[in-house]
PDB file of all heavy atoms in Angstrom:
ATOM      1  N   GLY A   1      26.304   0.194   8.717  1.00 50.00           N
ATOM      2  CA  GLY A   1      27.348   0.258   7.704  1.00 50.00           C
ATOM      3  C   GLY A   1      26.838  -0.073   6.316  1.00 50.00           C
ATOM      4  O   GLY A   1      27.594  -0.018   5.345  1.00 50.00           O
ATOM      5  N   ILE A   2      25.549  -0.429   6.215  1.00 49.00           N
ATOM      6  CA  ILE A   2      24.989  -0.835   4.930  1.00 49.00           C
ATOM      7  C   ILE A   2      24.217   0.322   4.332  1.00 49.00           C
ATOM      8  O   ILE A   2      23.380   0.925   4.982  1.00 49.00           O
ATOM      9  CB  ILE A   2      24.038  -2.029   5.102  1.00 49.00           C
ATOM     10  CG1 ILE A   2      24.761  -3.181   5.801  1.00 49.00           C
ATOM     11  CG2 ILE A   2      23.481  -2.488   3.769  1.00 49.00           C
ATOM     12  CD1 ILE A   2      23.836  -4.265   6.271  1.00 49.00           C
ATOM     13  N   THR A   3      24.504   0.668   3.096  1.00 48.00           N
ATOM     14  CA  THR A   3      23.792   1.743   2.417  1.00 48.00           C
ATOM     15  C   THR A   3      23.374   1.263   1.033  1.00 48.00           C
ATOM     16  O   THR A   3      24.165   0.681   0.315  1.00 48.00           O
ATOM     17  CB  THR A   3      24.666   2.998   2.274  1.00 48.00           C
ATOM     18  OG1 THR A   3      25.100   3.407   3.565  1.00 48.00           O
ATOM     19  CG2 THR A   3      23.876   4.123   1.629  1.00 48.00           C
ATOM     20  N   ARG A   4      22.144   1.513   0.679  1.00 45.00           N
ATOM     21  CA  ARG A   4      21.691   1.157  -0.662  1.00 45.00           C
ATOM     22  C   ARG A   4      20.815   2.283  -1.182  1.00 45.00           C
ATOM     23  O   ARG A   4      20.264   3.071  -0.421  1.00 45.00           O
ATOM     24  CB  ARG A   4      20.921  -0.167  -0.666  1.00 45.00           C
ATOM     25  CG  ARG A   4      19.633  -0.155   0.157  1.00 45.00           C
ATOM     26  CD  ARG A   4      19.022  -1.546   0.210  1.00 45.00           C
ATOM     27  NE  ARG A   4      17.867  -1.601   1.089  1.00 45.00           N
ATOM     28  CZ  ARG A   4      16.632  -1.344   0.715  1.00 45.00           C
ATOM     29  NH1 ARG A   4      16.377  -1.005  -0.524  1.00 45.00           N
ATOM     30  NH2 ARG A   4      15.634  -1.422   1.568  1.00 45.00           N
ATOM     31  N   THR A   5      20.678   2.362  -2.481  1.00 44.00           N
ATOM     32  CA  THR A   5      19.848   3.390  -3.106  1.00 44.00           C
ATOM     33  C   THR A   5      18.592   2.742  -3.666  1.00 44.00           C
ATOM     34  O   THR A   5      18.660   1.713  -4.322  1.00 44.00           O
ATOM     35  CB  THR A   5      20.606   4.101  -4.237  1.00 44.00           C
ATOM     36  OG1 THR A   5      21.788   4.680  -3.685  1.00 44.00           O
ATOM     37  CG2 THR A   5      19.751   5.186  -4.850  1.00 44.00           C
ATOM     38  N   SER A   6      17.453   3.343  -3.381  1.00 44.00           N
ATOM     39  CA  SER A   6      16.191   2.795  -3.875  1.00 44.00           C
ATOM     40  C   SER A   6      15.308   3.919  -4.365  1.00 44.00           C
ATOM     41  O   SER A   6      15.498   5.085  -4.042  1.00 44.00           O
ATOM     42  CB  SER A   6      15.472   2.020  -2.761  1.00 44.00           C
ATOM     43  OG  SER A   6      15.046   2.916  -1.763  1.00 44.00           O
ATOM     44  N   SER A   7      14.303   3.538  -5.153  1.00 43.00           N
ATOM     45  CA  SER A   7      13.345   4.508  -5.667  1.00 43.00           C
ATOM     46  C   SER A   7      12.146   4.543  -4.744  1.00 43.00           C
ATOM     47  O   SER A   7      11.496   3.530  -4.521  1.00 43.00           O
ATOM     48  CB  SER A   7      12.901   4.110  -7.077  1.00 43.00           C
ATOM     49  OG  SER A   7      11.988   5.046  -7.582  1.00 43.00           O
ATOM     50  N   SER A   8      11.848   5.684  -4.181  1.00 45.00           N
ATOM     51  CA  SER A   8      10.735   5.790  -3.242  1.00 45.00           C
ATOM     52  C   SER A   8       9.413   5.842  -3.984  1.00 45.00           C
ATOM     53  O   SER A   8       9.362   5.985  -5.196  1.00 45.00           O
ATOM     54  CB  SER A   8      10.888   7.053  -2.381  1.00 45.00           C
ATOM     55  OG  SER A   8      10.660   8.197  -3.172  1.00 45.00           O
ATOM     56  N   ALA A   9       8.323   5.743  -3.207  1.00 44.00           N
ATOM     57  CA  ALA A   9       6.990   5.729  -3.816  1.00 44.00           C
ATOM     58  C   ALA A   9       6.659   7.058  -4.475  1.00 44.00           C
ATOM     59  O   ALA A   9       5.792   7.125  -5.347  1.00 44.00           O
ATOM     60  CB  ALA A   9       5.954   5.402  -2.743  1.00 44.00           C
ATOM     61  N   THR A  10       7.355   8.120  -4.074  1.00 45.00           N
ATOM     62  CA  THR A  10       7.079   9.427  -4.664  1.00 45.00           C
ATOM     63  C   THR A  10       7.845   9.645  -5.961  1.00 45.00           C
ATOM     64  O   THR A  10       7.728  10.701  -6.587  1.00 45.00           O
ATOM     65  CB  THR A  10       7.462  10.535  -3.664  1.00 45.00           C
ATOM     66  OG1 THR A  10       8.837  10.385  -3.314  1.00 45.00           O
ATOM     67  CG2 THR A  10       6.611  10.430  -2.403  1.00 45.00           C
ATOM     68  N   GLY A  11       8.657   8.654  -6.362  1.00 48.00           N
ATOM     69  CA  GLY A  11       9.410   8.769  -7.612  1.00 48.00           C
ATOM     70  C   GLY A  11      10.792   9.352  -7.422  1.00 48.00           C
ATOM     71  O   GLY A  11      11.573   9.452  -8.368  1.00 48.00           O
ATOM     72  N   LYS A  12      11.136   9.735  -6.187  1.00 43.00           N
ATOM     73  CA  LYS A  12      12.441  10.331  -5.925  1.00 43.00           C
ATOM     74  C   LYS A  12      13.428   9.249  -5.477  1.00 43.00           C
ATOM     75  O   LYS A  12      13.055   8.277  -4.827  1.00 43.00           O
ATOM     76  CB  LYS A  12      12.323  11.398  -4.825  1.00 43.00           C
ATOM     77  CG  LYS A  12      11.380  12.542  -5.191  1.00 43.00           C
ATOM     78  CD  LYS A  12      11.240  13.492  -4.013  1.00 43.00           C
ATOM     79  CE  LYS A  12      10.265  14.626  -4.336  1.00 43.00           C
ATOM     80  NZ  LYS A  12      10.071  15.517  -3.178  1.00 43.00           N
ATOM     81  N   GLU A  13      14.688   9.436  -5.832  1.00 40.00           N
ATOM     82  CA  GLU A  13      15.715   8.512  -5.386  1.00 40.00           C
ATOM     83  C   GLU A  13      16.018   8.777  -3.912  1.00 40.00           C
ATOM     84  O   GLU A  13      16.193   9.921  -3.505  1.00 40.00           O
ATOM     85  CB  GLU A  13      16.991   8.675  -6.219  1.00 40.00           C
ATOM     86  CG  GLU A  13      16.849   8.190  -7.651  1.00 40.00           C
ATOM     87  CD  GLU A  13      16.598   6.693  -7.719  1.00 40.00           C
ATOM     88  OE1 GLU A  13      17.288   5.934  -7.010  1.00 40.00           O
ATOM     89  OE2 GLU A  13      15.709   6.278  -8.479  1.00 40.00           O
ATOM     90  N   ALA A  14      16.041   7.705  -3.132  1.00 42.00           N
ATOM     91  CA  ALA A  14      16.273   7.880  -1.705  1.00 42.00           C
ATOM     92  C   ALA A  14      17.347   6.914  -1.240  1.00 42.00           C
ATOM     93  O   ALA A  14      17.380   5.757  -1.649  1.00 42.00           O
ATOM     94  CB  ALA A  14      14.983   7.632  -0.916  1.00 42.00           C
ATOM     95  N   THR A  15      18.254   7.390  -0.386  1.00 41.00           N
ATOM     96  CA  THR A  15      19.275   6.532   0.193  1.00 41.00           C
ATOM     97  C   THR A  15      18.752   5.996   1.508  1.00 41.00           C
ATOM     98  O   THR A  15      18.362   6.755   2.390  1.00 41.00           O
ATOM     99  CB  THR A  15      20.571   7.329   0.433  1.00 41.00           C
ATOM    100  OG1 THR A  15      21.007   7.865  -0.807  1.00 41.00           O
ATOM    101  CG2 THR A  15      21.640   6.419   1.006  1.00 41.00           C
ATOM    102  N   VAL A  16      18.735   4.675   1.632  1.00 47.00           N
ATOM    103  CA  VAL A  16      18.195   4.038   2.820  1.00 47.00           C
ATOM    104  C   VAL A  16      19.309   3.264   3.501  1.00 47.00           C
ATOM    105  O   VAL A  16      19.842   2.319   2.939  1.00 47.00           O
ATOM    106  CB  VAL A  16      17.033   3.085   2.451  1.00 47.00           C
ATOM    107  CG1 VAL A  16      16.407   2.517   3.711  1.00 47.00           C
ATOM    108  CG2 VAL A  16      15.999   3.820   1.606  1.00 47.00           C
ATOM    109  N   ASP A  17      19.674   3.682   4.695  1.00 55.00           N
ATOM    110  CA  ASP A  17      20.802   3.078   5.386  1.00 55.00           C
ATOM    111  C   ASP A  17      20.378   1.811   6.108  1.00 55.00           C
ATOM    112  O   ASP A  17      19.633   1.864   7.075  1.00 55.00           O
ATOM    113  CB  ASP A  17      21.388   4.070   6.391  1.00 55.00           C
ATOM    114  CG  ASP A  17      22.236   5.121   5.714  1.00 55.00           C
ATOM    115  OD1 ASP A  17      22.279   5.149   4.471  1.00 55.00           O
ATOM    116  OD2 ASP A  17      22.844   5.902   6.432  1.00 55.00           O
ATOM    117  N   GLY A  18      20.862   0.674   5.629  1.00 69.00           N
ATOM    118  CA  GLY A  18      20.709  -0.565   6.374  1.00 69.00           C
ATOM    119  C   GLY A  18      19.324  -1.140   6.441  1.00 69.00           C
ATOM    120  O   GLY A  18      19.102  -2.102   7.165  1.00 69.00           O
ATOM    121  N   MET A  19      18.350  -0.582   5.769  1.00 80.00           N
ATOM    122  CA  MET A  19      16.991  -1.096   5.870  1.00 80.00           C
ATOM    123  C   MET A  19      16.865  -2.398   5.085  1.00 80.00           C
ATOM    124  O   MET A  19      17.491  -2.567   4.037  1.00 80.00           O
ATOM    125  CB  MET A  19      15.983  -0.069   5.367  1.00 80.00           C
ATOM    126  CG  MET A  19      15.970   1.223   6.159  1.00 80.00           C
ATOM    127  SD  MET A  19      15.762   0.955   7.939  1.00 80.00           S
ATOM    128  CE  MET A  19      14.088   0.331   7.990  1.00 80.00           C
ATOM    129  N   PRO A  20      16.056  -3.329   5.582  1.00 88.00           N
ATOM    130  CA  PRO A  20      15.936  -4.623   4.905  1.00 88.00           C
ATOM    131  C   PRO A  20      15.136  -4.524   3.613  1.00 88.00           C
ATOM    132  O   PRO A  20      14.385  -3.573   3.402  1.00 88.00           O
ATOM    133  CB  PRO A  20      15.190  -5.476   5.938  1.00 88.00           C
ATOM    134  CG  PRO A  20      14.391  -4.491   6.731  1.00 88.00           C
ATOM    135  CD  PRO A  20      15.236  -3.255   6.803  1.00 88.00           C
ATOM    136  N   GLU A  21      15.298  -5.525   2.756  1.00 91.00           N
ATOM    137  CA  GLU A  21      14.462  -5.642   1.569  1.00 91.00           C
ATOM    138  C   GLU A  21      13.163  -6.335   1.972  1.00 91.00           C
ATOM    139  O   GLU A  21      13.194  -7.393   2.606  1.00 91.00           O
ATOM    140  CB  GLU A  21      15.180  -6.466   0.496  1.00 91.00           C
ATOM    141  CG  GLU A  21      16.405  -5.780  -0.078  1.00 91.00           C
ATOM    142  CD  GLU A  21      17.085  -6.628  -1.145  1.00 91.00           C
ATOM    143  OE1 GLU A  21      16.617  -7.767  -1.371  1.00 91.00           O
ATOM    144  OE2 GLU A  21      18.063  -6.160  -1.737  1.00 91.00           O
ATOM    145  N   ILE A  22      12.043  -5.743   1.591  1.00 94.00           N
ATOM    146  CA  ILE A  22      10.748  -6.253   2.035  1.00 94.00           C
ATOM    147  C   ILE A  22       9.933  -6.702   0.825  1.00 94.00           C
ATOM    148  O   ILE A  22       9.799  -5.966  -0.153  1.00 94.00           O
ATOM    149  CB  ILE A  22       9.971  -5.179   2.834  1.00 94.00           C
ATOM    150  CG1 ILE A  22      10.834  -4.673   4.002  1.00 94.00           C
ATOM    151  CG2 ILE A  22       8.653  -5.731   3.346  1.00 94.00           C
ATOM    152  CD1 ILE A  22      10.201  -3.572   4.817  1.00 94.00           C
ATOM    153  N   GLU A  23       9.391  -7.910   0.907  1.00 94.00           N
ATOM    154  CA  GLU A  23       8.564  -8.458  -0.157  1.00 94.00           C
ATOM    155  C   GLU A  23       7.197  -8.841   0.393  1.00 94.00           C
ATOM    156  O   GLU A  23       7.064  -9.209   1.570  1.00 94.00           O
ATOM    157  CB  GLU A  23       9.216  -9.701  -0.772  1.00 94.00           C
ATOM    158  CG  GLU A  23      10.555  -9.454  -1.420  1.00 94.00           C
ATOM    159  CD  GLU A  23      11.144 -10.748  -1.963  1.00 94.00           C
ATOM    160  OE1 GLU A  23      10.461 -11.416  -2.757  1.00 94.00           O
ATOM    161  OE2 GLU A  23      12.273 -11.089  -1.575  1.00 94.00           O
ATOM    162  N   ILE A  24       6.190  -8.776  -0.470  1.00 95.00           N
ATOM    163  CA  ILE A  24       4.834  -9.194  -0.115  1.00 95.00           C
ATOM    164  C   ILE A  24       4.496 -10.458  -0.894  1.00 95.00           C
ATOM    165  O   ILE A  24       4.744 -10.541  -2.098  1.00 95.00           O
ATOM    166  CB  ILE A  24       3.813  -8.083  -0.435  1.00 95.00           C
ATOM    167  CG1 ILE A  24       4.063  -6.852   0.436  1.00 95.00           C
ATOM    168  CG2 ILE A  24       2.381  -8.580  -0.238  1.00 95.00           C
ATOM    169  CD1 ILE A  24       3.168  -5.666   0.105  1.00 95.00           C
ATOM    170  N   VAL A  25       3.933 -11.437  -0.214  1.00 94.00           N
ATOM    171  CA  VAL A  25       3.491 -12.672  -0.856  1.00 94.00           C
ATOM    172  C   VAL A  25       1.969 -12.758  -0.761  1.00 94.00           C
ATOM    173  O   VAL A  25       1.399 -12.645   0.336  1.00 94.00           O
ATOM    174  CB  VAL A  25       4.119 -13.915  -0.193  1.00 94.00           C
ATOM    175  CG1 VAL A  25       3.529 -15.194  -0.794  1.00 94.00           C
ATOM    176  CG2 VAL A  25       5.623 -13.905  -0.394  1.00 94.00           C
ATOM    177  N   ASP A  26       1.312 -12.936  -1.899  1.00 94.00           N
ATOM    178  CA  ASP A  26      -0.143 -13.065  -1.962  1.00 94.00           C
ATOM    179  C   ASP A  26      -0.508 -14.516  -1.638  1.00 94.00           C
ATOM    180  O   ASP A  26      -0.284 -15.423  -2.443  1.00 94.00           O
ATOM    181  CB  ASP A  26      -0.632 -12.683  -3.361  1.00 94.00           C
ATOM    182  CG  ASP A  26      -2.150 -12.677  -3.460  1.00 94.00           C
ATOM    183  OD1 ASP A  26      -2.820 -13.118  -2.499  1.00 94.00           O
ATOM    184  OD2 ASP A  26      -2.669 -12.246  -4.510  1.00 94.00           O
ATOM    185  N   MET A  27      -1.088 -14.744  -0.467  1.00 92.00           N
ATOM    186  CA  MET A  27      -1.417 -16.102  -0.048  1.00 92.00           C
ATOM    187  C   MET A  27      -2.600 -16.684  -0.822  1.00 92.00           C
ATOM    188  O   MET A  27      -2.792 -17.909  -0.823  1.00 92.00           O
ATOM    189  CB  MET A  27      -1.679 -16.135   1.449  1.00 92.00           C
ATOM    190  CG  MET A  27      -0.453 -15.813   2.292  1.00 92.00           C
ATOM    191  SD  MET A  27       0.941 -16.941   1.985  1.00 92.00           S
ATOM    192  CE  MET A  27       0.382 -18.405   2.832  1.00 92.00           C
ATOM    193  N   LYS A  28      -3.374 -15.839  -1.467  1.00 92.00           N
ATOM    194  CA  LYS A  28      -4.448 -16.362  -2.321  1.00 92.00           C
ATOM    195  C   LYS A  28      -3.855 -17.132  -3.493  1.00 92.00           C
ATOM    196  O   LYS A  28      -4.379 -18.183  -3.898  1.00 92.00           O
ATOM    197  CB  LYS A  28      -5.342 -15.214  -2.836  1.00 92.00           C
ATOM    198  CG  LYS A  28      -6.105 -14.457  -1.766  1.00 92.00           C
ATOM    199  CD  LYS A  28      -7.190 -13.586  -2.344  1.00 92.00           C
ATOM    200  CE  LYS A  28      -6.660 -12.505  -3.270  1.00 92.00           C
ATOM    201  NZ  LYS A  28      -5.849 -11.515  -2.567  1.00 92.00           N
ATOM    202  N   ARG A  29      -2.780 -16.617  -4.050  1.00 93.00           N
ATOM    203  CA  ARG A  29      -2.103 -17.306  -5.150  1.00 93.00           C
ATOM    204  C   ARG A  29      -1.502 -18.635  -4.682  1.00 93.00           C
ATOM    205  O   ARG A  29      -1.456 -19.610  -5.449  1.00 93.00           O
ATOM    206  CB  ARG A  29      -1.011 -16.418  -5.737  1.00 93.00           C
ATOM    207  CG  ARG A  29      -1.540 -15.191  -6.475  1.00 93.00           C
ATOM    208  CD  ARG A  29      -0.414 -14.388  -7.093  1.00 93.00           C
ATOM    209  NE  ARG A  29      -0.911 -13.249  -7.837  1.00 93.00           N
ATOM    210  CZ  ARG A  29      -1.304 -13.287  -9.102  1.00 93.00           C
ATOM    211  NH1 ARG A  29      -1.252 -14.442  -9.770  1.00 93.00           N
ATOM    212  NH2 ARG A  29      -1.744 -12.206  -9.708  1.00 93.00           N
ATOM    213  N   GLU A  30      -1.026 -18.663  -3.443  1.00 91.00           N
ATOM    214  CA  GLU A  30      -0.505 -19.909  -2.902  1.00 91.00           C
ATOM    215  C   GLU A  30      -1.607 -20.967  -2.837  1.00 91.00           C
ATOM    216  O   GLU A  30      -1.391 -22.132  -3.177  1.00 91.00           O
ATOM    217  CB  GLU A  30       0.081 -19.678  -1.499  1.00 91.00           C
ATOM    218  CG  GLU A  30       1.326 -18.818  -1.484  1.00 91.00           C
ATOM    219  CD  GLU A  30       2.546 -19.517  -2.074  1.00 91.00           C
ATOM    220  OE1 GLU A  30       2.796 -20.684  -1.741  1.00 91.00           O
ATOM    221  OE2 GLU A  30       3.251 -18.879  -2.890  1.00 91.00           O
ATOM    222  N   LEU A  31      -2.799 -20.563  -2.396  1.00 89.00           N
ATOM    223  CA  LEU A  31      -3.923 -21.504  -2.333  1.00 89.00           C
ATOM    224  C   LEU A  31      -4.298 -22.006  -3.726  1.00 89.00           C
ATOM    225  O   LEU A  31      -4.545 -23.197  -3.928  1.00 89.00           O
ATOM    226  CB  LEU A  31      -5.132 -20.833  -1.680  1.00 89.00           C
ATOM    227  CG  LEU A  31      -5.099 -20.665  -0.156  1.00 89.00           C
ATOM    228  CD1 LEU A  31      -6.328 -19.888   0.300  1.00 89.00           C
ATOM    229  CD2 LEU A  31      -5.043 -22.019   0.540  1.00 89.00           C
ATOM    230  N   ILE A  32      -4.356 -21.071  -4.672  1.00 92.00           N
ATOM    231  CA  ILE A  32      -4.725 -21.440  -6.045  1.00 92.00           C
ATOM    232  C   ILE A  32      -3.730 -22.438  -6.628  1.00 92.00           C
ATOM    233  O   ILE A  32      -4.096 -23.365  -7.354  1.00 92.00           O
ATOM    234  CB  ILE A  32      -4.815 -20.183  -6.940  1.00 92.00           C
ATOM    235  CG1 ILE A  32      -6.003 -19.307  -6.501  1.00 92.00           C
ATOM    236  CG2 ILE A  32      -4.955 -20.551  -8.406  1.00 92.00           C
ATOM    237  CD1 ILE A  32      -6.032 -17.945  -7.150  1.00 92.00           C
ATOM    238  N   SER A  33      -2.463 -22.279  -6.276  1.00 91.00           N
ATOM    239  CA  SER A  33      -1.425 -23.168  -6.815  1.00 91.00           C
ATOM    240  C   SER A  33      -1.346 -24.497  -6.064  1.00 91.00           C
ATOM    241  O   SER A  33      -0.522 -25.352  -6.405  1.00 91.00           O
ATOM    242  CB  SER A  33      -0.066 -22.462  -6.767  1.00 91.00           C
ATOM    243  OG  SER A  33       0.343 -22.272  -5.424  1.00 91.00           O
ATOM    244  N   GLY A  34      -2.192 -24.653  -5.036  1.00 91.00           N
ATOM    245  CA  GLY A  34      -2.233 -25.928  -4.328  1.00 91.00           C
ATOM    246  C   GLY A  34      -1.479 -25.969  -3.017  1.00 91.00           C
ATOM    247  O   GLY A  34      -1.455 -26.998  -2.339  1.00 91.00           O
ATOM    248  N   ASN A  35      -0.873 -24.857  -2.603  1.00 91.00           N
ATOM    249  CA  ASN A  35      -0.128 -24.819  -1.347  1.00 91.00           C
ATOM    250  C   ASN A  35      -1.063 -24.404  -0.211  1.00 91.00           C
ATOM    251  O   ASN A  35      -1.490 -23.252  -0.145  1.00 91.00           O
ATOM    252  CB  ASN A  35       1.041 -23.835  -1.451  1.00 91.00           C
ATOM    253  CG  ASN A  35       1.823 -23.752  -0.149  1.00 91.00           C
ATOM    254  OD1 ASN A  35       1.763 -24.654   0.685  1.00 91.00           O
ATOM    255  ND2 ASN A  35       2.560 -22.667   0.028  1.00 91.00           N
TER     256      ASN A  35
END
């Protein structure tokens, strides 16, 4: 039942039904910051 609009890697607008939001965390930066 969840629909959102996002910009795909090809530059085209794409409707993605119910897909989660995905983030990447750089663990090297975590080490540098002391974590």
Side-chain angles (χ1 to χ4, degrees):
I2 304 168
T3 303
R4 63 186 174 88
T5 301
S6 68
S7 181
S8 71
T10 57
K12 300 176 182 177
E13 290 296 315
T15 302
V16 185
D17 283 6
M19 298 307 293
E21 293 180 357
I22 305 177
E23 298 178 55
I24 295 175
V25 174
D26 185 352
M27 294 302 285
K28 296 194 298 294
R29 292 183 178 274
E30 293 289 314
L31 284 176
I32 292 170
S33 67
N35 179 21

